[in-house]
Amino acid sequence: MYQIGKGMGKKKMEEMLYTVREVAEILKTNMNYVYSLKRAGKLKFMKIGSLKCRKSTLEAFLEKYDGMDLTDPENIRDLREEQEEQTGAAV
């Protein structure tokens, strides 16, 4: 957890918040997809001039949806179930 104070450098403050573009880069996707995650309520942002996502929020998002197919943020599916449907067998 970051503590705000005299000893805190600019770099550490910058690491706490990500822009939409930075989130897209981290997720290796595009900005439109990040906006769709926001619209679907899957990834929270705050507005400080422009939209920002907390590092901890992004980490929690990645943990929560690990193993999931997020191609359509309105219809998130478990990758194992999807694989079972494609192969017709339990994995």
Side-chain angles (χ1 to χ4, degrees):
M1 187 76 169
Y2 291 104
Q3 292 182 351
I4 299 173
K6 287 183 180 181
M8 184 170 213
K10 183 178 179 186
K11 182 153 177 65
K12 287 199 182 226
M13 286 296 289
E14 290 172 0
E15 292 172 357
M16 290 178 64
L17 299 173
Y18 297 124
T19 64
V20 171
R21 181 179 306 278
E22 290 169 329
V23 171
E25 289 173 7
I26 290 166
L27 296 179
K28 299 186 182 344
T29 188
N30 60 56
M31 291 173 51
N32 287 334
Y33 182 72
V34 174
Y35 284 117
S36 70
L37 289 171
K38 179 189 175 298
R39 278 191 304 274
K42 306 303 180 197
L43 187 57
K44 294 192 314 184
F45 284 82
M46 64 181 83
K47 189 163 185 179
I48 307 172
S50 62
L51 292 174
K52 306 286 190 314
C53 180
R54 290 176 38 157
K55 180 180 180 180
S56 60
T57 299
L58 184 57
E59 289 170 343
F61 166 84
L62 291 170
E63 188 67 32
K64 179 177 181 178
Y65 292 109
D66 190 23
M68 307 296 275
D69 178 357
L70 285 96
T71 302
D72 176 3
E74 298 290 344
N75 185 28
I76 296 175
R77 300 172 50 131
D78 188 305
L79 286 173
R80 289 177 292 178
E81 291 174 9
E82 193 172 284
Q83 187 176 9
E84 288 173 10
E85 288 175 8
Q86 290 175 357
T87 62
V91 176

